[in-house]
Amino acid sequence: MAWNLNADKPIYTQLVEIIQTQIISGRYKAGDRLPSVRELAAEASVNPNTMQKAFAELERNGLIVTQRTSGRTVTEDIELINQTQAHLAEECINNFFQTMKELGYSEKEILKLIEKATEEVE
Amino acid sequence: METLAEIKGLTKSYGKTLAVNNMNLIIPRGKIIGLLGPNGSGKTTLIKMMNGLLTPTAGSISINGCAPGITTKARIAYLPERTYLQDGMRVCDIVDYFSDFYKDFNRNTAFTMLQSLNISFTARLKTLSKGTKEKVQLILVMSRNADLYILDEPIAGVDPAARDYILKTIISNYNENASILLSTHLISDIENVLDEVIFIRDGQVMAHLTVDQIREEYGRSVDSYFREVFAC
């Protein structure tokens, strides 16, 4: 199944986000070996060079580590993974608030709606 | 970046019509490149000249340092827009034929792909549907270990599921020193697979960009960028 990619954002940044999410959600755990660029490119149905670029970006921010003997692994730095998670959550919330404001809700109203929705879930 | 093919001042005229007009282009190694342009912009004329099927009116083409000829044909896997295979041939006979013809042809790759797409080895070409015939030809071309794959409208008649399979096969099979140049109108289907796109208009290169350049600079997909640039 090809990965779900948007049309308006650069492909490699979307790949970075998806792999980050896969690490946070535990599909790839701290210290796990990652599939090769080519395998992951085929899975996502994207160009291998683009996947390579996404890997380079993830290596730069430390989430992925390249080891000479064992290929690429997820970092063992749990703190860094937690930070990434917090960062993505913040982004998600900001986007949500922005959309709700565009729909005409004030912050108070949004919070009320969230409370109501949470009660319903419970 | 290492150059695979270089085109300089390439021109092809049919009487007064200039199909390709003083075109300059560099094709690097290890890239999947889309050749995009409206109907009649010169895509197929360019491709035919690269394959030595048409003689340029002016200018030069150099592939691996050679002009189009026997040496370049041995290293280019070309899928033409129309079939040249005999209708009465069986699929397995065509595989043998290619195997005899091209040193870099891999029979195992061909049979594996045919099997994955449920194409009978013993069927005669004329009994196959249009889309299946296209699949067979694409499989033959992609089963070569060439330096340059030139695919003229490779997936037009193929169903979406097979299209995905074919794209995946392209991604996982081609080697890092080879490049793929493909012309198509189905941009949104293939743009995630492309490194670069070449926009052609009136026989000239209008733009040569990477897919993510277009997305970063214009905030839109190659498909929607194409629709805007070539709006009628």
Side-chain angles (χ1 to χ4, degrees):
Chain A
M1 191 52 202
W3 294 2
N4 219 342
L5 299 170
N6 293 330
D8 51 351
K9 283 203 290 184
I11 295 166
Y12 87 93
T13 53
Q14 299 186 58
L15 299 179
V16 167
E17 283 166 16
I18 293 173
I19 297 169
Q20 278 177 337
T21 311
Q22 288 177 343
I23 291 172
I24 290 164
S25 68
R27 180 181 171 194
Y28 302 117
K29 295 185 181 63
D32 272 4
R33 225 191 119 158
L34 288 162
S36 70
V37 166
R38 209 165 263 254
E39 281 164 1
L40 221 48
E43 184 192 308
S45 282
V46 299
N47 187 295
N49 294 319
T50 314
M51 188 57 85
Q52 177 67 50
K53 200 175 164 190
F55 271 24
E57 176 74 21
L58 289 162
E59 271 169 25
R60 223 164 42 84
N61 63 33
L63 221 48
I64 287 181
V65 185
T66 304
Q67 258 123 14
R68 210 173 294 166
T69 46
S70 55
R72 283 193 189 76
T73 55
V74 177
T75 178
E76 298 195 10
D77 184 349
I78 306 279
E79 184 56 30
L80 183 66
I81 296 176
N82 290 341
Q83 271 174 25
T84 313
Q85 182 183 28
H87 178 75
L88 285 180
E90 206 175 295
E91 226 168 70
C92 203
I93 290 169
N94 287 342
N95 288 341
F96 168 72
F97 268 93
Q98 201 179 339
T99 315
M100 290 300 279
K101 279 178 186 164
E102 277 165 21
L103 288 173
Y105 290 99
S106 71
E107 267 174 43
K108 263 190 187 161
E109 286 169 323
I110 298 171
L111 289 175
K112 253 189 204 154
L113 283 172
I114 292 177
E115 266 171 31
K116 204 177 145 205
T118 342
E119 277 164 24
E120 273 163 24
V121 170
E122 280 165 0
Chain B
M1 203 171 306
E2 213 189 328
T3 302
L4 177 57
E6 188 167 10
I7 286 160
K8 278 190 199 155
L10 191 68
T11 302
K12 178 74 189 177
S13 60
Y14 297 108
K16 278 180 191 159
T17 318
L18 276 170
V20 171
N21 182 6
N22 194 20
M23 186 183 282
N24 297 298
L25 193 61
I26 285 179
I27 296 174
R29 285 183 195 276
K31 302 282 178 188
I32 305 179
I33 305 161
L35 187 63
L36 314 175
N39 301 119
S41 54
K43 301 186 294 291
T44 297
T45 304
L46 168 66
I47 285 174
K48 283 186 174 167
M49 285 193 280
M50 292 180 79
N51 284 291
L53 299 175
L54 285 173
T55 314
T57 311
S60 68
I61 300 171
S62 156
I63 296 154
N64 272 339
C66 303
I70 298 171
T71 17
T72 62
K73 284 180 189 184
R75 303 302 306 140
I76 298 177
Y78 169 47
L79 178 76
E81 54 175 351
R82 285 198 200 96
T83 178
Y84 51 85
L85 297 167
Q86 289 286 333
D87 235 10
M89 287 179 89
R90 291 181 195 280
V91 172
C92 54
D93 295 338
I94 304 172
V95 172
D96 288 339
Y97 185 59
F98 260 68
S99 189
D100 285 345
F101 214 87
Y102 294 108
K103 259 195 216 150
D104 59 3
F105 188 79
N106 188 328
R107 296 167 57 94
N108 288 339
T109 311
F111 281 123
T112 309
M113 287 171 80
L114 287 165
Q115 205 157 26
S116 308
L117 289 172
N118 290 318
I119 298 170
S120 154
F121 299 168
T122 53
R124 289 185 195 278
L125 264 195
K126 62 180 162 198
T127 66
L128 302 177
S129 73
K130 177 170 176 276
T132 309
K133 263 186 231 167
E134 285 191 20
K135 286 179 204 166
V136 171
Q137 286 194 81
L138 189 57
I139 287 169
L140 292 169
V141 170
M142 292 314 296
S143 299
R144 288 183 56 194
N145 185 14
D147 285 333
L148 179 60
Y149 299 83
I150 301 182
L151 317 174
D152 199 353
E153 288 284 346
I155 49 169
V158 174
D159 67 80
R163 222 173 264 172
D164 285 348
Y165 172 80
I166 286 165
L167 288 177
K168 270 199 191 2
T169 313
I170 291 178
I171 296 170
S172 39
N173 279 6
Y174 93 111
N175 80 61
E176 285 133 50
N177 293 316
S179 280
I180 301 173
L181 181 68
L182 64 103
S183 87
T184 185
H185 294 299
L186 298 164
I187 305 172
S188 61
D189 274 6
I190 56 142
E191 76 172 90
N192 291 351
V193 173
L194 299 178
D195 284 291
E196 302 177 356
V197 287
I198 298 167
F199 283 97
I200 289 192
R201 169 185 256 169
D202 300 330
Q204 288 184 314
V205 175
M206 210 187 81
H208 187 169
L209 300 159
T210 71
V211 171
D212 275 347
Q213 252 173 352
I214 292 176
R215 286 166 176 247
E216 265 163 40
E217 283 173 32
Y218 305 99
R220 54 177 58 203
S221 65
V222 176
D223 185 70
S224 85
Y225 181 70
F226 180 97
R227 284 171 206 261
E228 182 184 287
V229 171
F230 294 112
C232 301

